[in-house]
mmCIF file of all heavy atoms in Angstrom:
data_model
loop_
_atom_site.group_PDB
_atom_site.id
_atom_site.type_symbol
_atom_site.label_atom_id
_atom_site.label_comp_id
_atom_site.label_asym_id
_atom_site.label_seq_id
_atom_site.Cartn_x
_atom_site.Cartn_y
_atom_site.Cartn_z
ATOM 1 N N GLY A 1 91.536 105.015 79.911
ATOM 2 C CA GLY A 1 92.546 104.102 80.446
ATOM 3 C C GLY A 1 93.398 104.735 81.533
ATOM 4 O O GLY A 1 94.108 104.030 82.250
ATOM 5 N N SER A 2 93.339 106.041 81.694
ATOM 6 C CA SER A 2 94.037 106.694 82.808
ATOM 7 C C SER A 2 93.471 106.144 84.113
ATOM 8 O O SER A 2 92.260 105.933 84.240
ATOM 9 C CB SER A 2 93.839 108.207 82.758
ATOM 10 O OG SER A 2 94.441 108.775 81.619
ATOM 11 N N TYR A 3 94.353 105.903 85.099
ATOM 12 C CA TYR A 3 93.940 105.220 86.321
ATOM 13 C C TYR A 3 94.665 105.813 87.526
ATOM 14 O O TYR A 3 95.881 106.017 87.482
ATOM 15 C CB TYR A 3 94.270 103.730 86.205
ATOM 16 C CG TYR A 3 93.957 102.921 87.433
ATOM 17 C CD1 TYR A 3 92.663 102.509 87.713
ATOM 18 C CD2 TYR A 3 94.967 102.551 88.322
ATOM 19 C CE1 TYR A 3 92.371 101.760 88.836
ATOM 20 C CE2 TYR A 3 94.683 101.801 89.453
ATOM 21 C CZ TYR A 3 93.391 101.405 89.709
ATOM 22 O OH TYR A 3 93.100 100.666 90.821
ATOM 23 N N VAL A 4 93.918 106.080 88.587
ATOM 24 C CA VAL A 4 94.488 106.597 89.829
ATOM 25 C C VAL A 4 93.917 105.791 90.987
ATOM 26 O O VAL A 4 92.715 105.507 91.030
ATOM 27 C CB VAL A 4 94.146 108.099 90.029
ATOM 28 C CG1 VAL A 4 94.646 108.599 91.383
ATOM 29 C CG2 VAL A 4 94.722 108.937 88.902
ATOM 30 N N GLU A 5 94.795 105.413 91.909
ATOM 31 C CA GLU A 5 94.362 104.742 93.127
ATOM 32 C C GLU A 5 94.814 105.589 94.312
ATOM 33 O O GLU A 5 95.963 106.013 94.365
ATOM 34 C CB GLU A 5 94.977 103.344 93.206
ATOM 35 C CG GLU A 5 94.509 102.538 94.391
ATOM 36 C CD GLU A 5 95.010 101.106 94.343
ATOM 37 O OE1 GLU A 5 94.590 100.357 93.437
ATOM 38 O OE2 GLU A 5 95.822 100.755 95.207
ATOM 39 N N VAL A 6 93.898 105.847 95.232
ATOM 40 C CA VAL A 6 94.217 106.639 96.419
ATOM 41 C C VAL A 6 93.878 105.820 97.662
ATOM 42 O O VAL A 6 92.902 105.069 97.670
ATOM 43 C CB VAL A 6 93.467 107.989 96.440
ATOM 44 C CG1 VAL A 6 93.920 108.872 95.291
ATOM 45 C CG2 VAL A 6 91.976 107.803 96.389
ATOM 46 N N GLN A 7 94.725 105.957 98.688
ATOM 47 C CA GLN A 7 94.480 105.251 99.942
ATOM 48 C C GLN A 7 94.583 106.235 101.099
ATOM 49 O O GLN A 7 95.526 107.023 101.184
ATOM 50 C CB GLN A 7 95.482 104.116 100.147
ATOM 51 C CG GLN A 7 95.196 103.320 101.415
ATOM 52 C CD GLN A 7 96.071 102.093 101.555
ATOM 53 O OE1 GLN A 7 97.055 101.930 100.851
ATOM 54 N NE2 GLN A 7 95.713 101.227 102.474
ATOM 55 N N ASP A 8 93.614 106.168 101.987
ATOM 56 C CA ASP A 8 93.564 106.998 103.186
ATOM 57 C C ASP A 8 94.543 106.396 104.201
ATOM 58 O O ASP A 8 94.237 105.408 104.850
ATOM 59 C CB ASP A 8 92.118 106.993 103.712
ATOM 60 C CG ASP A 8 91.937 107.801 104.981
ATOM 61 O OD1 ASP A 8 92.919 108.352 105.510
ATOM 62 O OD2 ASP A 8 90.786 107.873 105.455
ATOM 63 N N VAL A 9 95.743 106.993 104.333
ATOM 64 C CA VAL A 9 96.790 106.383 105.159
ATOM 65 C C VAL A 9 96.980 107.034 106.519
ATOM 66 O O VAL A 9 97.584 106.441 107.403
ATOM 67 C CB VAL A 9 98.145 106.344 104.415
ATOM 68 C CG1 VAL A 9 98.069 105.421 103.215
ATOM 69 C CG2 VAL A 9 98.597 107.725 104.003
ATOM 70 N N ALA A 10 96.485 108.254 106.707
ATOM 71 C CA ALA A 10 96.625 108.943 107.990
ATOM 72 C C ALA A 10 95.683 110.136 107.998
ATOM 73 O O ALA A 10 95.148 110.531 106.953
ATOM 74 C CB ALA A 10 98.066 109.414 108.194
ATOM 75 N N ALA A 11 95.522 110.731 109.161
ATOM 76 C CA ALA A 11 94.727 111.951 109.230
ATOM 77 C C ALA A 11 95.334 112.971 108.270
ATOM 78 O O ALA A 11 96.548 113.193 108.283
ATOM 79 C CB ALA A 11 94.714 112.503 110.652
ATOM 80 N N ASN A 12 94.518 113.515 107.400
ATOM 81 C CA ASN A 12 94.913 114.549 106.436
ATOM 82 C C ASN A 12 95.889 114.076 105.367
ATOM 83 O O ASN A 12 96.554 114.911 104.747
ATOM 84 C CB ASN A 12 95.509 115.773 107.154
ATOM 85 C CG ASN A 12 94.572 116.347 108.184
ATOM 86 O OD1 ASN A 12 94.897 116.439 109.353
ATOM 87 N ND2 ASN A 12 93.370 116.710 107.763
ATOM 88 N N LEU A 13 95.997 112.757 105.110
ATOM 89 C CA LEU A 13 96.994 112.288 104.144
ATOM 90 C C LEU A 13 96.477 111.145 103.274
ATOM 91 O O LEU A 13 96.061 110.092 103.778
ATOM 92 C CB LEU A 13 98.262 111.841 104.863
ATOM 93 C CG LEU A 13 99.445 111.506 103.952
ATOM 94 C CD1 LEU A 13 99.895 112.734 103.166
ATOM 95 C CD2 LEU A 13 100.587 110.944 104.775
ATOM 96 N N TRP A 14 96.555 111.367 101.946
ATOM 97 C CA TRP A 14 96.211 110.357 100.939
ATOM 98 C C TRP A 14 97.479 109.895 100.247
ATOM 99 O O TRP A 14 98.322 110.712 99.858
ATOM 100 C CB TRP A 14 95.274 110.958 99.890
ATOM 101 C CG TRP A 14 93.898 111.199 100.407
ATOM 102 C CD1 TRP A 14 93.387 112.359 100.895
ATOM 103 C CD2 TRP A 14 92.858 110.230 100.502
ATOM 104 N NE1 TRP A 14 92.095 112.178 101.285
ATOM 105 C CE2 TRP A 14 91.737 110.879 101.061
ATOM 106 C CE3 TRP A 14 92.763 108.881 100.178
ATOM 107 C CZ2 TRP A 14 90.532 110.221 101.293
ATOM 108 C CZ3 TRP A 14 91.560 108.229 100.405
ATOM 109 C CH2 TRP A 14 90.458 108.898 100.958
ATOM 110 N N LEU A 15 97.633 108.576 100.076
ATOM 111 C CA LEU A 15 98.706 107.992 99.276
ATOM 112 C C LEU A 15 98.150 107.778 97.881
ATOM 113 O O LEU A 15 97.090 107.168 97.717
ATOM 114 C CB LEU A 15 99.168 106.658 99.858
ATOM 115 C CG LEU A 15 100.167 105.870 99.020
ATOM 116 C CD1 LEU A 15 101.471 106.644 98.856
ATOM 117 C CD2 LEU A 15 100.410 104.507 99.643
ATOM 118 N N VAL A 16 98.863 108.288 96.862
ATOM 119 C CA VAL A 16 98.382 108.236 95.481
ATOM 120 C C VAL A 16 99.367 107.471 94.622
ATOM 121 O O VAL A 16 100.583 107.652 94.722
ATOM 122 C CB VAL A 16 98.228 109.664 94.903
ATOM 123 C CG1 VAL A 16 97.807 109.619 93.448
ATOM 124 C CG2 VAL A 16 97.252 110.470 95.731
ATOM 125 N N GLN A 17 98.845 106.627 93.765
ATOM 126 C CA GLN A 17 99.637 106.033 92.697
ATOM 127 C C GLN A 17 98.760 105.988 91.459
ATOM 128 O O GLN A 17 97.549 105.807 91.559
ATOM 129 C CB GLN A 17 100.172 104.658 93.070
ATOM 130 C CG GLN A 17 99.188 103.706 93.662
ATOM 131 C CD GLN A 17 99.876 102.464 94.184
ATOM 132 O OE1 GLN A 17 100.926 102.067 93.715
ATOM 133 N NE2 GLN A 17 99.266 101.824 95.146
ATOM 134 N N GLY A 18 99.360 106.225 90.317
ATOM 135 C CA GLY A 18 98.550 106.245 89.128
ATOM 136 C C GLY A 18 99.348 106.142 87.852
ATOM 137 O O GLY A 18 100.555 106.390 87.831
ATOM 138 N N ASN A 19 98.650 105.758 86.817
ATOM 139 C CA ASN A 19 99.189 105.705 85.466
ATOM 140 C C ASN A 19 98.184 106.407 84.560
ATOM 141 O O ASN A 19 97.083 105.918 84.358
ATOM 142 C CB ASN A 19 99.399 104.257 85.011
ATOM 143 C CG ASN A 19 100.510 103.592 85.780
ATOM 144 O OD1 ASN A 19 101.669 103.984 85.666
ATOM 145 N ND2 ASN A 19 100.170 102.611 86.593
ATOM 146 N N LEU A 20 98.592 107.555 84.074
ATOM 147 C CA LEU A 20 97.719 108.351 83.224
ATOM 148 C C LEU A 20 98.125 108.199 81.774
ATOM 149 O O LEU A 20 99.281 107.901 81.477
ATOM 150 C CB LEU A 20 97.775 109.829 83.628
ATOM 151 C CG LEU A 20 97.534 110.133 85.110
ATOM 152 C CD1 LEU A 20 97.579 111.638 85.351
ATOM 153 C CD2 LEU A 20 96.230 109.522 85.593
ATOM 154 N N VAL A 21 97.181 108.411 80.877
ATOM 155 C CA VAL A 21 97.430 108.370 79.444
ATOM 156 C C VAL A 21 97.134 109.760 78.904
ATOM 157 O O VAL A 21 96.073 110.319 79.161
ATOM 158 C CB VAL A 21 96.534 107.327 78.739
ATOM 159 C CG1 VAL A 21 96.841 107.276 77.245
ATOM 160 C CG2 VAL A 21 96.700 105.953 79.388
ATOM 161 N N GLY A 22 98.119 110.326 78.177
ATOM 162 C CA GLY A 22 97.961 111.674 77.640
ATOM 163 C C GLY A 22 98.411 111.760 76.201
ATOM 164 O O GLY A 22 98.779 110.762 75.581
ATOM 165 N N SER A 23 98.396 112.976 75.673
ATOM 166 C CA SER A 23 98.862 113.227 74.312
ATOM 167 C C SER A 23 99.495 114.605 74.262
ATOM 168 O O SER A 23 99.267 115.433 75.147
ATOM 169 C CB SER A 23 97.688 113.144 73.323
ATOM 170 O OG SER A 23 96.726 114.137 73.611
ATOM 171 N N GLY A 24 100.303 114.832 73.269
ATOM 172 C CA GLY A 24 100.972 116.133 73.153
ATOM 173 C C GLY A 24 102.192 116.198 74.044
ATOM 174 O O GLY A 24 102.771 115.181 74.414
ATOM 175 N N THR A 25 102.592 117.401 74.420
ATOM 176 C CA THR A 25 103.723 117.604 75.328
ATOM 177 C C THR A 25 103.199 117.474 76.749
ATOM 178 O O THR A 25 102.431 118.308 77.217
ATOM 179 C CB THR A 25 104.356 118.987 75.112
ATOM 180 O OG1 THR A 25 104.774 119.083 73.746
ATOM 181 C CG2 THR A 25 105.544 119.190 76.023
ATOM 182 N N LEU A 26 103.612 116.416 77.432
ATOM 183 C CA LEU A 26 103.067 116.109 78.746
ATOM 184 C C LEU A 26 103.455 117.162 79.776
ATOM 185 O O LEU A 26 104.531 117.747 79.713
ATOM 186 C CB LEU A 26 103.528 114.725 79.186
ATOM 187 C CG LEU A 26 103.096 113.577 78.275
ATOM 188 C CD1 LEU A 26 103.643 112.254 78.779
ATOM 189 C CD2 LEU A 26 101.581 113.519 78.146
ATOM 190 N N ALA A 27 102.559 117.382 80.740
ATOM 191 C CA ALA A 27 102.756 118.382 81.784
ATOM 192 C C ALA A 27 102.252 117.822 83.110
ATOM 193 O O ALA A 27 101.593 116.788 83.159
ATOM 194 C CB ALA A 27 101.995 119.660 81.415
ATOM 195 N N THR A 28 102.548 118.522 84.193
ATOM 196 C CA THR A 28 102.141 118.070 85.521
ATOM 197 C C THR A 28 100.622 118.051 85.665
ATOM 198 O O THR A 28 99.915 118.916 85.177
ATOM 199 C CB THR A 28 102.777 118.936 86.627
ATOM 200 O OG1 THR A 28 102.450 118.349 87.894
ATOM 201 C CG2 THR A 28 102.296 120.366 86.576
ATOM 202 N N SER A 29 100.148 117.035 86.384
ATOM 203 C CA SER A 29 98.717 116.907 86.629
ATOM 204 C C SER A 29 98.358 117.227 88.078
ATOM 205 O O SER A 29 97.186 117.246 88.411
ATOM 206 C CB SER A 29 98.262 115.473 86.302
ATOM 207 O OG SER A 29 98.951 114.548 87.109
#
């Protein structure tokens, strides 16, 4: 169910939005 959407918005640049599903003590992804 974790989901990430990326869009190519400029040279060398991706726009990211997402909703991830985890367990335990959450940390940076």
Side-chain angles (χ1 to χ4, degrees):
S2 295
Y3 177 79
V4 175
E5 184 173 294
V6 295
Q7 183 173 13
D8 179 358
V9 294
N12 304 122
L13 188 63
W14 288 96
L15 173 63
V16 177
Q17 48 189 333
N19 291 294
L20 308 182
V21 182
S23 62
T25 302
L26 299 178
T28 186
S29 60

